[in-house]
Amino acid sequence: SDGQEQKIAEAFDIDKDQAGDYLMSPEYAKDIFDYLKHREEKFVLTDYMHTQPDLNEDMRGILVDWMVEVQENFELNHETLYLAVKLIDHYLSVTVAMRESLQLIGSTAMLIAAKFEEQCPPSLDDFLYICDDAYKRQEFIAMERNILQGLKFDINIPVPYRFLRRYARVARASMETLTLARYVC
Amino acid sequence: GEVCSPTLVSFMCCKFQRIDVSKQMSLPMDIRLPPEILKKLQMQSPEPCKPLSRMSRRASLSDIGFGKLETYVKLGKLGEGTYATVFKGRSKLTENLVALKEIRLEHEEGAPCTAIREVSLLKNLKHANIVTLHDIIHTDRCLTLVFEYLDSDLKQYLDNCRNIMSMSNVKVFMFQLLRGLAGELKLADFGLARAKSVPTKTYSNEVVTLWYRPPDVLLGSTEYSTPIDMWGVGCILYEMATGRPLFPGSTVKEELHLIFRLMGTPTEETCPGITANEEFRSYLFPQYRAQALINHVPRLDTEGIDLLTTLLLYDTRKRISAEASLRHAYFLSLGEDIHSIPDTASVFSLKDIQLQKDPGHRSSFDCFFPNSGRGKNRRQSVF
């Protein structure tokens, strides 16, 4: 499109298998990944935990484990889970939070990520239920606003899994390899 | 001919576009602030020469009124859609006109996913043919997006020249529209690159209105994809060249009927898979043969007819893409340089690209027919 990109040798063109499948949009795949790579540099996280008086790494770990369960429960895409974790980390880099609100932050991040990524995001009722009614609807809606405003709506954050999926395709890796590789990213 | 000023630069809001960080609009950064506000900003900063840190910049921008509803005066309603209402407004900060898009927030579900996607993607866009997002105001009842105000949209423009546009302007406008779309398509694909889970239903319900909907969508396809927009572009090319909407159907059946009567009833050859489509079969349309488009758009030249034909193909895989159409022979006469201008520059930055006086333009007409009222409300397009 901009004339300076190099032509890919046909033998290495992994997108050509999908030519004609407009849902996969192979003609744009390279541009999209160039863009994601470029954008990734804007979202480098710093170690924020020492700025959080009431939180520590273990709590974050417990929260992420719970979010994995939520993802499985709602059958969400891996990208949604990864994005939600990104949202939490970026939000906690700019806002001080107390441990009581950590689960609310985690599930609201999951809600936002699902609205952004999923074809059929779970409803707010589903989130109230998985939190065992620990939080009220209005608290969710207020937290959604806090996160969106804290991140200035810049929530289209590239996640490692998207790259991993593509690299696995390039390497023609099996599903087992791809799944194992997730533990590294 | 006489040259008009290029005011109608941006079209309808073509939405998303691929962006470089260098072009990234950190929201209010590139807004031109009046001197008194700059002065106020500098007074608040302890060392006036030192660049503001992100944090203090955010605080001071909010101090001067960004992100606040009070900063904007509502002037009148411009339009209403299924999920938002658009008002004309004025910024008290800059005194500029703005368009305020108010998205109602549901009390049950929080921010709608369409709004979350729209804002997060638009935030990063800067392109001469895509409407610029200046500010976001988020309250518990409403999410308001503040856009640059466009003096005129295509409908008003066509009304204003009594539906007789100069064919050279049609070409320039088409190019601008496709330029905006070529960008949009890239980002719309973002979702698509991921997997098969495409945000679909809301898209097809809200993005394309009946007159500009392709037959594949009218016949029940819920997949939002790039070729959908290109059908609509074909309809717009026809509408600019003739001054009339191409397929002004008021029901799905009537819309399909109008399409098939002109373009021919689809067959397995022109539209693979159509004979198996239950919905199509249930309508029992007569077997129309395709008519020659040139008889319906006599002012359009051969290349233009060819472009229109490839935009209006039934087979979505054969329908031309925005990027390919920018390279179509129809646009050869605009010159080669038009392909190398930066995204953020207007096509009018090239000295050879100028708007011509439209033959039906109101001011020239009014000298002869001051009270004719011609062109008013004769058409009801949805631009």
Side-chain angles (χ1 to χ4, degrees), chain A residues 128-147:
Chain A
L128 294 173
Y129 174 78
I130 49 139
C131 291
D132 200 21
D133 292 310
Y135 306 105
K136 295 192 188 72
R137 183 182 298 273
Q138 281 320 309
E139 291 178 287
F140 260 95
I141 292 177
M143 182 54 78
E144 181 182 73
R145 212 172 107 192
N146 290 342
I147 295 178

Side-chain angles (χ1 to χ4, degrees), chain A residues 50-173:
Chain A
H50 63 271
T51 67
Q52 292 288 352
D54 200 37
L55 304 180
N56 60 42
E57 281 86 357
D58 293 340
M59 295 176 192
R60 180 187 176 280
I62 294 166
L63 178 67
V64 174
D65 284 346
W66 178 73
M67 287 165 66
V68 173
E69 278 180 50
V70 175
Q71 183 219 348
E72 284 172 1
N73 222 302
F74 289 158
E75 298 180 2
L76 302 173
N77 286 307
H78 293 316
E79 281 85 347
T80 306
L81 170 70
Y82 280 67
L83 178 61
V85 175
K86 286 275 185 204
L87 295 177
I88 293 170
D89 285 332
H90 284 279
Y91 180 66
L92 291 178
S93 318
V94 293
T95 317
V96 172
M98 295 295 117
R99 61 185 71 176
E100 300 80 53
S101 59
L102 200 55
Q103 193 186 8
L104 177 63
I105 294 172
S107 36
T108 310
M110 210 70 184
L111 171 73
I112 297 172
K115 283 182 182 177
F116 185 81
E117 281 288 340
E118 299 287 329
Q119 189 169 12
C120 300
S123 71
L124 222 159
D125 281 332
D126 298 330
F127 282 96
L128 294 173
Y129 174 78
I130 49 139
C131 291
D132 200 21
D133 292 310
Y135 306 105
K136 295 192 188 72
R137 183 182 298 273
Q138 281 320 309
E139 291 178 287
F140 260 95
I141 292 177
M143 182 54 78
E144 181 182 73
R145 212 172 107 192
N146 290 342
I147 295 178
L148 290 172
Q149 284 180 353
L151 304 184
K152 296 163 149 186
F153 278 89
D154 212 356
I155 59 158
N156 182 16
I157 308 172
V159 296
Y161 193 70
R162 219 182 275 280
F163 295 102
L164 191 59
R165 242 197 235 280
R166 182 154 176 91
Y167 296 154
R169 244 172 77 77
V170 175
R172 298 183 202 283

Side-chain angles (χ1 to χ4, degrees), chain A residues 2-35:
Chain A
D2 50 23
Q4 56 202 6
E5 62 192 54
Q6 62 216 44
K7 191 102 180 98
I8 303 162
E10 205 169 314
F12 297 103
D13 185 359
I14 57 161
D15 297 310
K16 72 164 190 274
D17 311 348
Q18 286 161 332
D21 181 353
Y22 63 76
L23 279 183
M24 295 302 288
S25 305
E27 64 272 42
Y28 295 116
K30 188 171 178 300
D31 280 350
I32 290 166
F33 280 93
D34 287 347
Y35 169 66

Side-chain angles (χ1 to χ4, degrees), chain B residues 246-273:
Chain B
L246 176 52
F247 303 121
S250 46
T251 62
V252 170
K253 188 178 178 181
E254 190 192 357
E255 184 69 26
L256 284 167
H257 200 233
L258 289 172
I259 294 171
F260 296 161
R261 219 172 49 191
L262 183 68
M263 308 304 297
T265 308
T267 62
E268 203 53 32
E269 199 182 326
T270 56
C271 185

Side-chain angles (χ1 to χ4, degrees), chain B residues 261-361:
Chain B
R261 219 172 49 191
L262 183 68
M263 308 304 297
T265 308
T267 62
E268 203 53 32
E269 199 182 326
T270 56
C271 185
I274 191 69
T275 45
N277 184 308
E278 289 294 334
E279 226 173 316
F280 171 73
R281 286 161 53 155
S282 71
Y283 282 116
L284 298 168
F285 285 112
Q287 290 298 315
Y288 294 111
R289 262 194 297 184
Q291 300 184 38
L293 284 174
I294 185 71
N295 299 334
H296 295 265
V297 210
R299 294 206 303 145
L300 199 57
D301 59 25
T302 320
E303 286 84 23
I305 293 287
D306 185 76
L307 176 60
L308 183 60
T309 310
T310 49
L311 286 166
L312 296 177
L313 286 176
Y314 289 144
D315 188 345
T316 52
R317 290 165 306 176
K318 291 192 179 139
R319 210 175 284 158
I320 194 166
S321 72
E323 294 202 326
S325 50
L326 288 171
R327 285 286 177 185
H328 191 276
Y330 176 60
F331 296 117
L332 272 180
S333 61
L334 296 178
E336 185 54 33
D337 291 348
I338 202 159
H339 296 287
S340 44
I341 46 177
D343 283 355
T344 46
S346 159
V347 294
F348 296 111
S349 59
L350 297 176
K351 71 172 182 344
D352 292 338
I353 305 294
Q354 285 171 336
L355 292 182
Q356 305 298 311
K357 183 128 185 146
D358 291 305
H361 190 263

Side-chain angles (χ1 to χ4, degrees), chain B residues 208-260:
Chain B
V208 192
T209 60
L210 211 51
W211 294 1
Y212 305 91
R213 275 188 206 178
D216 37 303
V217 174
L218 293 166
L219 286 169
S221 164
T222 51
E223 284 157 357
Y224 179 86
S225 69
T226 56
I228 289 181
D229 298 315
M230 301 313 291
W231 176 275
V233 170
C235 299
I236 290 167
L237 172 57
Y238 177 96
E239 192 160 338
M240 287 197 289
T242 63
R244 290 186 311 272
L246 176 52
F247 303 121
S250 46
T251 62
V252 170
K253 188 178 178 181
E254 190 192 357
E255 184 69 26
L256 284 167
H257 200 233
L258 289 172
I259 294 171
F260 296 161

